Amino acid sequence: MTTGTVTLAPLQHADVPKCHEIELDLFPGEDPWSETAFHSELDRGNYYKGAYCDGELIGYAGLAASAYEASVHTIAVARPWQGKGVGKLLLRDLLARVDEINVPVFLEVRTDNEPAIAMYLAHGFERLGLRRRYYQPSGADAYTMGRPAHSV
Ligand SMILES: CC(C)(COP(=O)(O)OP(=O)(O)OC[C@H]1O[C@@H](n2cnc3c(N)ncnc32)[C@H](O)[C@@H]1OP(=O)(O)O)[C@@H](O)C(=O)NCCC(=O)NCCS
């Protein structure tokens, strides 16, 4: 199950049920995104990539960008695939897009999400601030993190 080659491709509306399934597993107490939320992100033309192995969606990540800044809206890897480099692959793809348009990028991350924070710090992000009770219904706090334009 965890041996094939992982490829990235634009996320499709057909992937949305699987994204929602992964969300329910990963974010049970954090208001997981509905299928409607994913469809609307794609309809808005935001930049979304899926990670696939043997035709199966195993992760996804998405970004919204303006002429001035970008924001990582989501990044997630299905539990059996975590810790195998898929998250890095997705994040680097988003950052390549950010660097094409040469804008700073921001995100929020739970303060107790050590794997994600380590990944962001290793990719040029720094902690900028704290948003108390940002996540609902859990009430968990978030760090705001940012990466300046064209930092590599
Ligand atoms: C966070 C997440 C996307 C990372 O994806 P992943 O495929 O598991 O991560 P990777 O294997 O690509 O590792 C990327 C980096 O994350 C960090 N990392 C991953 N697992 C870690 C762990 N268990 N402990 C500490 N750091 C860890 C490391 O910095 C790692 O880089 P390295 O391998 O060079 O040391 C994934 O764990 C996930 O989906 N988590 C649940 C959803 C989530 O929290 N999303 C982020 C919301 S802001």
Side-chain angles (χ1 to χ4, degrees):
M1 180 168 67
T2 55
T3 51
T5 304
V6 176
T7 55
L8 301 188
L11 194 72
Q12 306 292 326
H13 282 284
D15 294 320
V16 164
K18 181 67 182 182
C19 293
H20 181 56
E21 189 186 313
I22 294 172
E23 285 275 314
L24 290 175
D25 181 43
L26 296 183
F27 303 110
E30 306 288 6
D31 196 15
W33 282 15
S34 64
E35 293 194 17
T36 307
F38 280 104
H39 284 302
S40 108
E41 287 285 303
L42 295 178
D43 286 340
R44 280 191 197 117
N46 287 339
Y47 182 90
Y48 271 73
K49 283 290 183 73
Y52 303 85
C53 185
D54 296 332
E56 181 196 357
L57 182 82
I58 58 169
Y60 50 87
L63 184 75
S66 72
Y68 307 103
E69 64 177 50
S71 168
V72 175
H73 280 188
T74 186
I75 180 163
V77 174
R79 225 177 269 281
W81 285 89
Q82 289 180 6
K84 300 176 193 300
V86 180
K88 256 189 308 205
L89 206 60
L90 285 163
L91 181 62
R92 286 175 184 175
D93 184 277
L94 296 190
L95 295 178
R97 171 70 186 142
V98 164
D99 287 340
E100 268 172 27
I101 53 180
N102 191 19
V103 291
V105 56
F106 301 94
L107 57 80
E108 278 85 25
V109 57
R110 267 181 74 127
T111 54
D112 60 359
N113 192 344
E114 289 173 19
I117 292 168
M119 180 172 76
Y120 298 137
L121 289 172
H123 288 82
F125 285 84
E126 59 182 1
R127 282 200 325 233
L128 301 177
L130 176 67
R131 294 193 171 186
R132 293 206 184 275
R133 303 191 59 77
Y134 177 79
Y135 293 101
Q136 296 299 328
S138 70
D141 297 338
Y143 290 126
T144 302
M145 300 185 77
R147 172 184 178 268
H150 265 183
S151 93
V152 181

